Amino acid sequence: MTVLIDLIAGARPNFMKIASIIRSMESRKAQGGALRYRLVHTGQHYDARMSGDFFEQLGIPEPDINLAASSGTQAEQTAAIMTGYEALLLKQRSQLCLVVGDVTSTMACAIVAQKLHVPVAHVEGGIRSGDWSMPEEINRMVTDAITNWFFTTSEVANANLRRSGVAEDRIFFVGNTMIDTLLANLGRLRPPPFSDEMGLQPGGYFVITLHRPANVDASGPFAQMLEAIVAGTRGLPVIFPVHPRTAKTLQTLPGFPPSLHLVDPQPYLEFNWLVKHAKAVITDSGGITEEATVMGVPCLTLRDTTERPETIALGTNELIGTDPARLKPALDRLFAGQWKQGSIPEKWDGKTGERIVSALERLLPT
Ligand code: UD1
Protein backbone atom coordinates (compact mmCIF):
# COMPACT_ATOMS: atom_id res chain seq x y z
CA MET A 1 0.00 0.00 0.00
CA THR A 2 1.25 3.48 -0.80
CA VAL A 3 0.65 6.69 1.14
CA LEU A 4 -0.14 9.92 -0.72
CA ILE A 5 1.31 13.18 0.62
CA ASP A 6 0.48 16.61 -0.76
CA LEU A 7 3.58 18.79 -0.98
CA ILE A 8 2.48 22.43 -1.08
CA ALA A 9 4.62 25.06 -2.77
CA GLY A 10 3.46 28.55 -3.58
CA ALA A 11 6.06 31.28 -3.37
CA ARG A 12 9.76 31.60 -4.10
CA PRO A 13 11.11 30.74 -0.64
CA ASN A 14 9.11 27.48 -0.66
CA PHE A 15 10.79 25.99 -3.70
CA MET A 16 14.26 25.42 -2.21
CA LYS A 17 12.66 23.88 0.89
CA ILE A 18 10.48 21.46 -1.05
CA ALA A 19 13.33 20.44 -3.41
CA SER A 20 15.19 18.61 -0.68
CA ILE A 21 12.09 16.77 0.53
CA ILE A 22 11.30 15.65 -3.03
CA ARG A 23 14.85 14.35 -3.47
CA SER A 24 14.64 12.35 -0.26
CA MET A 25 11.20 10.97 -1.12
CA GLU A 26 12.37 9.91 -4.59
CA SER A 27 15.37 8.18 -3.12
CA ARG A 28 13.29 6.25 -0.54
CA LYS A 29 10.79 5.30 -3.25
CA ALA A 30 13.64 3.84 -5.34
CA GLN A 31 14.55 1.72 -2.29
CA GLY A 32 10.99 0.40 -2.01
CA GLY A 33 9.51 3.04 0.33
CA ALA A 34 5.72 3.47 0.39
CA LEU A 35 5.47 7.29 0.39
CA ARG A 36 4.24 9.00 -2.76
CA TYR A 37 3.70 12.72 -3.33
CA ARG A 38 1.43 15.01 -5.26
CA LEU A 39 3.12 18.35 -5.90
CA VAL A 40 0.63 21.20 -5.55
CA HIS A 41 1.72 24.64 -6.80
CA THR A 42 -0.73 27.23 -5.55
CA GLY A 43 0.33 29.78 -8.18
CA GLN A 44 1.02 32.47 -5.56
CA HIS A 45 4.24 33.26 -7.43
CA TYR A 46 3.81 32.87 -11.16
CA ASP A 47 6.57 34.78 -13.01
CA ALA A 48 9.28 32.58 -14.52
CA ARG A 49 11.83 34.53 -12.49
CA MET A 50 9.95 33.98 -9.22
CA SER A 51 8.95 30.37 -9.87
CA GLY A 52 9.78 28.48 -13.11
CA ASP A 53 13.54 29.18 -12.99
CA PHE A 54 13.71 27.59 -9.53
CA PHE A 55 11.90 24.44 -10.62
CA GLU A 56 14.27 24.08 -13.55
CA GLN A 57 17.53 24.75 -11.70
CA LEU A 58 16.65 22.65 -8.65
CA GLY A 59 15.30 19.71 -10.66
CA ILE A 60 11.83 19.97 -9.14
CA PRO A 61 9.32 18.06 -11.30
CA GLU A 62 6.43 19.85 -12.95
CA PRO A 63 3.66 20.35 -10.38
CA ASP A 64 0.90 17.74 -10.58
CA ILE A 65 -1.61 20.50 -9.89
CA ASN A 66 -1.46 24.28 -10.33
CA LEU A 67 -4.17 26.14 -8.44
CA ALA A 68 -3.33 29.35 -10.37
CA ALA A 69 -4.23 31.58 -7.43
CA SER A 70 -1.74 34.33 -8.50
CA SER A 71 -1.97 37.89 -7.21
CA GLY A 72 -4.47 39.84 -5.15
CA THR A 73 -4.81 41.11 -1.60
CA GLN A 74 -3.86 38.82 1.27
CA ALA A 75 -7.51 37.80 1.68
CA GLU A 76 -8.11 37.33 -2.04
CA GLN A 77 -5.01 35.16 -2.38
CA THR A 78 -5.89 33.13 0.71
CA ALA A 79 -9.45 32.59 -0.52
CA ALA A 80 -8.37 31.56 -4.03
CA ILE A 81 -5.85 29.05 -2.68
CA MET A 82 -8.34 27.64 -0.17
CA THR A 83 -11.09 27.20 -2.76
CA GLY A 84 -8.73 25.54 -5.23
CA TYR A 85 -7.15 23.21 -2.70
CA GLU A 86 -10.48 22.23 -1.16
CA ALA A 87 -11.79 21.19 -4.57
CA LEU A 88 -8.68 19.08 -5.10
CA LEU A 89 -8.96 17.31 -1.74
CA LEU A 90 -12.66 16.67 -2.27
CA LYS A 91 -11.87 15.09 -5.63
CA GLN A 92 -8.95 13.06 -4.34
CA ARG A 93 -7.97 12.98 -0.68
CA SER A 94 -4.39 12.68 0.38
CA GLN A 95 -3.20 11.18 3.67
CA LEU A 96 -1.08 14.18 4.67
CA CYS A 97 -0.73 17.83 3.73
CA LEU A 98 2.89 18.92 4.09
CA VAL A 99 3.43 22.68 4.11
CA VAL A 100 6.72 24.58 4.36
CA GLY A 101 7.67 28.04 5.59
CA ASP A 102 5.36 30.94 6.33
CA VAL A 103 3.80 32.24 3.13
CA THR A 104 0.10 32.70 2.42
CA SER A 105 -0.04 29.32 0.64
CA THR A 106 1.30 27.59 3.78
CA MET A 107 -1.52 28.86 5.98
CA ALA A 108 -4.29 28.56 3.37
CA CYS A 109 -3.61 24.89 2.58
CA ALA A 110 -3.14 23.94 6.25
CA ILE A 111 -6.60 25.31 7.10
CA VAL A 112 -8.29 23.49 4.22
CA ALA A 113 -6.59 20.16 4.97
CA GLN A 114 -7.28 20.19 8.69
CA LYS A 115 -10.96 21.05 8.16
CA LEU A 116 -11.24 18.03 5.88
CA HIS A 117 -9.51 15.88 8.55
CA VAL A 118 -6.32 15.49 6.54
CA PRO A 119 -3.41 15.79 9.00
CA VAL A 120 -0.91 18.61 8.53
CA ALA A 121 2.89 18.56 8.82
CA HIS A 122 4.70 21.89 8.98
CA VAL A 123 8.32 22.10 7.90
CA GLU A 124 9.97 25.09 9.64
CA GLY A 125 7.26 25.07 12.32
CA GLY A 126 7.62 26.91 15.60
CA ILE A 127 9.62 29.98 14.59
CA ARG A 128 8.30 33.35 15.78
CA SER A 129 9.31 36.99 15.34
CA GLY A 130 6.60 38.32 17.67
CA ASP A 131 5.85 41.00 15.04
CA TRP A 132 2.16 40.77 14.20
CA SER A 133 2.47 43.51 11.56
CA MET A 134 4.09 40.99 9.18
CA PRO A 135 1.71 38.67 7.29
CA GLU A 136 4.28 35.87 7.68
CA GLU A 137 3.94 35.94 11.48
CA ILE A 138 0.17 35.54 11.25
CA ASN A 139 0.69 32.69 8.79
CA ARG A 140 3.10 30.97 11.21
CA MET A 141 0.78 31.29 14.19
CA VAL A 142 -2.34 30.12 12.37
CA THR A 143 -0.54 27.22 10.69
CA ASP A 144 1.09 26.02 13.89
CA ALA A 145 -2.21 26.20 15.80
CA ILE A 146 -3.58 23.45 13.51
CA THR A 147 -0.45 21.44 12.71
CA ASN A 148 -0.17 17.80 13.79
CA TRP A 149 3.57 17.31 13.29
CA PHE A 150 6.27 19.97 13.42
CA PHE A 151 9.61 19.64 11.64
CA THR A 152 11.81 22.27 13.22
CA THR A 153 15.03 24.09 12.38
CA SER A 154 16.20 25.05 15.89
CA GLU A 155 15.93 24.50 19.64
CA VAL A 156 14.38 27.96 19.87
CA ALA A 157 11.52 26.77 17.66
CA ASN A 158 11.14 23.64 19.82
CA ALA A 159 10.95 25.80 22.94
CA ASN A 160 8.33 28.10 21.35
CA LEU A 161 6.17 25.08 20.54
CA ARG A 162 6.53 23.52 23.99
CA ARG A 163 5.58 26.85 25.56
CA SER A 164 2.41 26.92 23.50
CA GLY A 165 1.47 23.47 24.78
CA VAL A 166 2.60 21.21 21.94
CA ALA A 167 3.44 17.70 23.19
CA GLU A 168 7.02 16.52 22.75
CA ASP A 169 6.07 13.60 20.49
CA ARG A 170 4.72 16.02 17.86
CA ILE A 171 8.01 17.95 17.57
CA PHE A 172 10.78 16.64 15.31
CA PHE A 173 14.00 18.64 15.43
CA VAL A 174 15.37 17.84 11.97
CA GLY A 175 17.34 20.88 10.78
CA ASN A 176 16.88 23.07 7.73
CA THR A 177 15.74 21.89 4.28
CA MET A 178 16.70 25.22 2.69
CA ILE A 179 20.27 24.48 3.78
CA ASP A 180 20.05 20.94 2.35
CA THR A 181 19.41 22.54 -1.02
CA LEU A 182 22.18 25.09 -0.60
CA LEU A 183 24.76 22.47 0.36
CA ALA A 184 23.67 20.21 -2.52
CA ASN A 185 24.13 23.08 -4.98
CA LEU A 186 27.25 24.85 -3.67
CA GLY A 187 29.39 23.26 -6.39
CA ARG A 188 26.95 24.34 -9.13
CA LEU A 189 26.70 28.04 -8.25
CA ARG A 190 27.53 30.21 -11.23
CA PRO A 191 27.97 33.92 -11.91
CA PRO A 192 25.17 35.82 -13.60
CA PRO A 193 25.99 37.06 -17.11
CA PHE A 194 26.42 40.68 -15.91
CA SER A 195 29.19 39.86 -13.42
CA ASP A 196 31.99 40.05 -16.03
CA GLU A 197 30.63 43.24 -17.56
CA MET A 198 30.58 44.87 -14.13
CA GLY A 199 33.95 43.39 -13.22
CA LEU A 200 32.65 42.02 -9.90
CA GLN A 201 35.53 40.94 -7.64
CA PRO A 202 35.20 38.52 -4.69
CA GLY A 203 34.57 40.64 -1.60
CA GLY A 204 34.37 43.75 -3.79
CA TYR A 205 30.61 44.30 -4.00
CA PHE A 206 27.40 44.12 -1.96
CA VAL A 207 24.10 42.33 -2.59
CA ILE A 208 20.84 43.78 -1.35
CA THR A 209 17.32 42.37 -1.32
CA LEU A 210 14.35 44.32 0.03
CA HIS A 211 10.70 43.38 -0.38
CA ARG A 212 8.95 43.63 3.01
CA PRO A 213 5.94 45.96 2.84
CA ALA A 214 7.34 47.92 5.86
CA ASN A 215 10.53 48.70 3.92
CA VAL A 216 9.42 49.15 0.33
CA ASP A 217 5.78 50.20 0.15
CA ALA A 218 6.33 53.88 1.10
CA SER A 219 8.62 55.62 -1.39
CA GLY A 220 10.06 58.30 0.98
CA PRO A 221 11.56 56.00 3.65
CA PHE A 222 12.59 53.50 0.97
CA ALA A 223 14.54 56.22 -0.92
CA GLN A 224 16.26 57.27 2.34
CA MET A 225 17.29 53.71 3.06
CA LEU A 226 18.71 53.32 -0.45
CA GLU A 227 20.70 56.55 0.01
CA ALA A 228 22.09 55.25 3.30
CA ILE A 229 23.07 51.98 1.64
CA VAL A 230 24.83 53.72 -1.24
CA ALA A 231 26.66 56.13 1.13
CA GLY A 232 27.70 53.38 3.56
CA THR A 233 29.02 51.00 0.88
CA ARG A 234 31.67 53.56 -0.19
CA GLY A 235 31.23 53.38 -3.96
CA LEU A 236 31.51 49.59 -4.23
CA PRO A 237 28.97 48.10 -6.64
CA VAL A 238 25.66 47.27 -4.96
CA ILE A 239 23.73 44.57 -6.81
CA PHE A 240 19.99 44.81 -6.18
CA PRO A 241 17.83 41.99 -7.63
CA VAL A 242 14.43 43.65 -7.55
CA HIS A 243 11.36 41.75 -6.32
CA PRO A 244 8.15 42.57 -8.28
CA ARG A 245 6.60 44.24 -5.22
CA THR A 246 9.69 46.46 -4.83
CA ALA A 247 9.72 47.31 -8.53
CA LYS A 248 6.36 49.04 -8.16
CA THR A 249 7.79 51.55 -5.65
CA LEU A 250 11.12 51.95 -7.46
CA GLN A 251 9.25 53.16 -10.55
CA THR A 252 8.12 56.17 -8.54
CA LEU A 253 11.66 57.25 -7.52
CA PRO A 254 13.47 59.85 -9.64
CA GLY A 255 16.88 58.20 -10.25
CA PHE A 256 19.70 56.17 -8.76
CA PRO A 257 23.42 56.66 -8.07
CA PRO A 258 25.75 54.80 -10.47
CA SER A 259 26.99 52.28 -7.87
CA LEU A 260 23.46 50.91 -7.41
CA HIS A 261 22.73 48.23 -10.02
CA LEU A 262 19.10 47.21 -10.33
CA VAL A 263 18.75 43.75 -11.86
CA ASP A 264 15.91 41.26 -12.32
CA PRO A 265 15.17 38.66 -9.63
CA GLN A 266 17.99 36.15 -10.05
CA PRO A 267 17.67 32.40 -10.49
CA TYR A 268 18.84 30.27 -7.53
CA LEU A 269 22.35 29.36 -8.70
CA GLU A 270 23.22 32.91 -9.78
CA PHE A 271 21.74 34.54 -6.70
CA ASN A 272 23.65 32.36 -4.28
CA TRP A 273 26.85 32.82 -6.31
CA LEU A 274 26.39 36.56 -5.83
CA VAL A 275 25.88 36.15 -2.07
CA LYS A 276 28.77 33.71 -1.63
CA HIS A 277 31.30 36.12 -3.13
CA ALA A 278 29.85 39.37 -1.75
CA LYS A 279 31.50 41.54 0.88
CA ALA A 280 28.16 41.43 2.66
CA VAL A 281 24.45 41.06 2.03
CA ILE A 282 21.93 43.67 3.16
CA THR A 283 18.42 42.24 3.31
CA ASP A 284 14.98 42.09 4.89
CA SER A 285 14.51 38.42 3.98
CA GLY A 286 14.59 35.62 6.56
CA GLY A 287 15.86 32.76 4.40
CA ILE A 288 18.82 34.75 3.09
CA THR A 289 20.08 35.27 6.65
CA GLU A 290 20.27 31.47 6.95
CA GLU A 291 22.06 31.01 3.64
CA ALA A 292 24.53 33.81 4.45
CA THR A 293 25.22 32.16 7.83
CA VAL A 294 26.07 28.86 6.19
CA MET A 295 28.27 30.53 3.55
CA GLY A 296 29.98 32.65 6.23
CA VAL A 297 29.03 35.92 4.53
CA PRO A 298 28.30 38.98 6.73
CA CYS A 299 24.58 39.78 6.72
CA LEU A 300 22.88 43.03 7.76
CA THR A 301 19.14 42.64 8.32
CA LEU A 302 17.00 45.74 7.90
CA ARG A 303 14.26 44.64 10.31
CA ASP A 304 13.62 45.19 14.01
CA THR A 305 12.84 41.53 14.73
CA THR A 306 13.75 38.11 13.45
CA GLU A 307 12.12 34.71 13.69
CA ARG A 308 15.57 33.15 13.14
CA PRO A 309 17.59 34.22 16.22
CA GLU A 310 20.22 31.51 15.67
CA THR A 311 21.47 33.42 12.61
CA ILE A 312 22.41 36.18 15.06
CA ALA A 313 23.48 34.15 18.11
CA LEU A 314 25.58 31.73 16.04
CA GLY A 315 25.65 33.03 12.49
CA THR A 316 26.91 36.07 10.59
CA ASN A 317 23.66 38.03 10.78
CA GLU A 318 22.96 41.23 12.72
CA LEU A 319 19.68 43.10 13.15
CA ILE A 320 20.20 46.68 12.02
CA GLY A 321 16.56 47.78 12.13
CA THR A 322 14.72 50.08 9.75
CA ASP A 323 16.32 53.40 10.75
CA PRO A 324 18.77 54.35 7.94
CA ALA A 325 21.04 56.12 10.49
CA ARG A 326 21.96 52.73 12.00
CA LEU A 327 23.43 51.41 8.78
CA LYS A 328 26.64 53.47 8.59
CA PRO A 329 28.13 52.45 11.96
CA ALA A 330 27.47 48.79 11.08
CA LEU A 331 29.08 49.13 7.64
CA ASP A 332 32.04 51.00 9.20
CA ARG A 333 32.62 47.95 11.43
CA LEU A 334 32.43 45.71 8.39
CA PHE A 335 34.99 47.81 6.46
CA ALA A 336 37.25 47.81 9.55
CA GLY A 337 37.26 43.98 9.39
CA GLN A 338 35.42 43.70 12.69
CA TRP A 339 32.44 41.57 11.60
CA LYS A 340 31.90 38.34 13.57
CA GLN A 341 32.92 35.02 12.01
CA GLY A 342 29.87 32.92 12.89
CA SER A 343 29.29 29.17 13.10
CA ILE A 344 26.71 26.79 11.66
CA PRO A 345 23.59 25.88 13.70
CA GLU A 346 22.98 22.30 14.83
CA LYS A 347 21.64 19.87 12.21
CA TRP A 348 22.04 22.34 9.32
CA ASP A 349 24.06 19.56 7.72
CA GLY A 350 22.35 18.68 4.44
CA LYS A 351 20.45 15.66 5.83
CA THR A 352 17.20 17.29 6.96
CA GLY A 353 15.09 15.97 4.06
CA GLU A 354 16.17 12.41 4.91
CA ARG A 355 15.23 12.90 8.57
CA ILE A 356 11.81 14.23 7.57
CA VAL A 357 11.09 11.32 5.25
CA SER A 358 12.21 8.75 7.88
CA ALA A 359 9.91 10.37 10.44
CA LEU A 360 7.00 10.40 7.97
CA GLU A 361 7.51 6.71 7.27
CA ARG A 362 7.10 6.02 10.98
CA LEU A 363 4.14 8.41 11.38
CA LEU A 364 2.15 7.25 8.33
CA PRO A 365 1.97 3.48 8.44
CA THR A 366 0.91 1.73 5.24
C1 UD1 B 1 5.78 36.59 -0.55
C2 UD1 B 1 5.75 36.03 0.87
C3 UD1 B 1 7.04 36.36 1.58
C4 UD1 B 1 8.23 35.93 0.79
C5 UD1 B 1 8.18 36.55 -0.59
C6 UD1 B 1 9.37 36.10 -1.41
C7 UD1 B 1 3.52 36.00 1.92
C8 UD1 B 1 2.62 36.67 2.90
N1 UD1 B 1 4.66 36.63 1.63
O1 UD1 B 1 5.75 38.01 -0.43
O2 UD1 B 1 7.05 35.68 2.82
O3 UD1 B 1 9.43 36.34 1.44
O4 UD1 B 1 6.95 36.13 -1.22
O5 UD1 B 1 9.28 36.48 -2.72
O6 UD1 B 1 3.18 34.95 1.41
N2 UD1 B 1 4.22 39.32 -8.06
C9 UD1 B 1 4.60 39.24 -9.36
N3 UD1 B 1 5.06 38.06 -9.82
C10 UD1 B 1 5.16 36.95 -9.05
C11 UD1 B 1 4.79 37.07 -7.70
C12 UD1 B 1 4.32 38.24 -7.22
O7 UD1 B 1 4.52 40.20 -10.12
O8 UD1 B 1 5.59 35.89 -9.53
C13 UD1 B 1 3.65 40.57 -7.53
C14 UD1 B 1 2.25 40.34 -7.03
O9 UD1 B 1 1.34 40.51 -8.05
C15 UD1 B 1 2.13 41.37 -5.93
C16 UD1 B 1 3.54 41.48 -5.40
O10 UD1 B 1 4.41 40.96 -6.40
O11 UD1 B 1 1.73 42.59 -6.44
C17 UD1 B 1 3.71 40.77 -4.10
O12 UD1 B 1 3.52 39.36 -4.24
P1 UD1 B 1 2.92 38.45 -3.05
O13 UD1 B 1 3.01 37.02 -3.40
O14 UD1 B 1 1.62 39.01 -2.66
O15 UD1 B 1 3.82 38.69 -1.80
P2 UD1 B 1 5.38 38.94 -1.68
O16 UD1 B 1 5.56 40.34 -1.28
O17 UD1 B 1 6.07 38.40 -2.90
Side-chain angles (χ1 to χ4, degrees):
M1 275 278 283
T2 57
V3 175
L4 181 64
I5 299 178
D6 280 341
L7 301 181
I8 309 295
R12 185 170 58 178
N14 290 164
F15 305 138
M16 34 296 224
K17 293 170 193 166
I18 221 89
S20 132
I21 298 168
I22 289 178
R23 210 181 49 223
S24 301
M25 286 189 72
E26 293 283 3
S27 127
R28 284 294 298 143
K29 182 180 162 195
Q31 295 159 10
L35 303 186
R36 300 289 181 272
Y37 64 85
R38 178 166 69 175
L39 181 55
V40 180
H41 193 322
T42 65
Q44 180 180 344
H45 281 181
Y46 45 87
D47 286 351
R49 289 196 172 102
M50 300 297 287
S51 175
D53 286 355
F54 288 79
F55 275 69
E56 199 181 302
Q57 288 197 337
L58 300 177
I60 306 173
E62 281 288 310
D64 296 293
I65 315 285
N66 193 319
L67 303 179
S70 78
S71 51
T73 65
Q74 289 285 316
E76 284 166 346
Q77 241 177 20
T78 305
I81 297 166
M82 287 182 71
T83 314
Y85 187 47
E86 185 182 55
L88 175 66
L89 280 185
L90 289 175
K91 199 160 121 211
Q92 194 196 357
R93 273 179 84 81
S94 60
Q95 275 108 314
L96 179 78
C97 170
L98 184 144
V99 295
V100 299
D102 56 18
V103 302
T104 300
S105 305
T106 309
M107 176 190 72
C109 291
I111 295 173
V112 169
Q114 199 57 264
K115 286 198 170 186
L116 290 174
H117 313 299
V118 172
V120 173
H122 184 197
V123 172
E124 205 186 87
I127 63 175
R128 295 287 183 274
S129 69
D131 179 356
W132 288 19
S133 71
M134 292 176 63
E136 292 81 2
E137 184 70 355
I138 310 295
N139 295 339
R140 291 179 199 116
M141 293 167 69
V142 172
T143 304
D144 284 351
I146 53 169
T147 286
N148 299 77
W149 299 305
F150 300 86
F151 293 108
T152 62
T153 50
S154 70
E155 284 290 6
V156 177
N158 301 339
N160 289 338
L161 291 169
R162 285 182 201 121
R163 236 192 340 269
S164 64
V166 176
E168 203 62 46
D169 63 355
R170 291 164 55 206
I171 304 173
F172 300 83
F173 177 27
V174 289
N176 192 324
T177 56
M178 191 172 205
I179 299 307
D180 284 3
T181 297
L182 180 66
L183 295 177
N185 285 285
L186 272 183
R188 298 175 63 219
L189 302 185
R190 57 191 193 202
F194 58 75
S195 76
D196 268 355
E197 235 167 83
M198 287 186 199
L200 297 183
Q201 298 295 327
Y205 64 92
F206 286 81
V207 175
I208 64 174
T209 82
L210 294 171
H211 73 278
R212 301 282 170 208
N215 280 331
V216 306
D217 282 2
S219 55
F222 183 29
Q224 282 167 14
M225 186 56 93
L226 288 178
E227 274 167 35
I229 291 172
V230 167
T233 50
R234 306 185 182 183
L236 289 181
V238 176
I239 314 300
F240 186 3
V242 177
H243 185 283
R245 161 176 223 115
T246 311
K248 288 183 190 166
T249 312
L250 281 175
Q251 279 163 8
T252 67
L253 301 184
F256 306 101
S259 70
L260 185 64
H261 300 276
L262 306 183
V263 298
D264 284 330
Q266 292 296 298
Y268 184 82
L269 299 174
E270 285 79 359
F271 180 74
N272 280 292
W273 184 93
L274 285 168
V275 171
K276 184 166 195 293
H277 299 284
K279 185 165 186 65
V281 51
I282 303 173
T283 187
D284 60 8
S285 156
I288 292 170
T289 68
E290 300 182 335
E291 291 167 337
T293 282
V294 168
M295 290 192 274
V297 175
C299 181
L300 293 80
T301 294
L302 304 186
R303 288 173 48 192
D304 296 315
T305 58
T306 179
E307 59 290 339
R308 294 164 161 92
E310 61 283 358
T311 63
I312 297 170
L314 299 172
T316 54
N317 183 28
E318 221 178 277
L319 276 191
I320 307 300
T322 49
D323 174 2
R326 290 187 50 196
L327 196 56
K328 184 173 182 310
L331 287 169
D332 286 347
R333 268 191 293 118
L334 175 76
F335 277 104
Q338 289 165 356
W339 206 262
K340 58 185 169 176
Q341 289 295 312
S343 60
I344 297 181
E346 191 184 349
K347 297 195 185 178
W348 292 18
D349 58 0
K351 299 197 167 95
T352 300
E354 293 165 31
R355 292 188 194 106
I356 292 174
V357 173
S358 302
L360 290 176
E361 286 180 331
R362 291 195 304 276
L363 291 166
L364 299 166
T366 50

